[in-house]
């Protein structure tokens, strides 16, 4: 298990909005992603918050995840492990030396 500490208590907001008759994050598996992200983060021993969110405005590209502290918006997030890895790399690269 790898423990990574990130500044500013990282949080992930997972859009769970459902649009009838059109593509949406909920229709693309956002509920499963929300659960999988919580499990992945717990498994890695990270202290990140994961919460459901209202529409992030990119319904056809869902599921969408808004990451903080740097406000990054990720699209087509289907694999929780890949999302966490991508954010760990991004936040590590942004960290001051």
């Amino acid at each position: 298990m790898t423990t990574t500490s990130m500044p500013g208590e990282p949080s992930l907001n997972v859009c769970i909005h459902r649009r009838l008759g059109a593509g949406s994050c909920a229709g693309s598996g956002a509920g499963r992603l929300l659960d999988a992200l919580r499990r992945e983060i717990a498994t890695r021993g990270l202290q990140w918050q994961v919460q459901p969110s209202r529409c992030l405005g990119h319904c056809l590209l869902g599921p969408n995840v808004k990451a903080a502290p740097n406000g990054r918006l990720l699209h087509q997030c289907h694999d929780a492990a890949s999302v966490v890895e991508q954010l760990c790399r991004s936040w590590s690269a942004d960290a001051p030396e």
Side-chain angles (χ1 to χ4, degrees), residues 4 26 40 49-50 57 70 87 89 96:
T4 304
E40 183 69 25
Q49 297 296 315
V50 181
N70 68 357
L87 290 171
R89 281 193 309 272

Side-chain angles (χ1 to χ4, degrees), residues 3-97:
T3 302
T4 304
S5 176
M6 301 293 171
E9 293 298 318
S11 64
L12 304 180
N13 298 297
V14 180
C15 177
I16 58 167
H17 184 75
R18 179 174 302 278
R19 290 177 24 175
L20 298 177
S24 68
C25 290
S28 297
R32 289 186 303 276
L33 176 66
L34 182 70
D35 293 338
L37 282 169
R38 287 177 173 155
R39 285 191 306 273
E40 183 69 25
I41 287 166
T43 298
R44 292 175 184 240
L46 299 170
Q47 299 299 309
W48 298 5
Q49 297 296 315
V50 181
Q51 54 213 11
S53 172
R54 291 182 155 174
C55 185
L56 297 173
H58 299 276
C59 302
L60 295 177
L61 298 175
N64 296 299
V65 176
K66 176 86 169 167
N70 68 357
R72 192 153 181 210
L73 180 60
L74 305 173
H75 305 292
Q76 297 179 335
C77 300
H78 296 286
D79 179 63
S82 295
V83 170
V84 173
E85 277 300 318
Q86 183 178 359
L87 290 171
C88 283
R89 281 193 309 272
S90 173
W91 281 323
S92 292
D94 292 344
E97 302 266 337

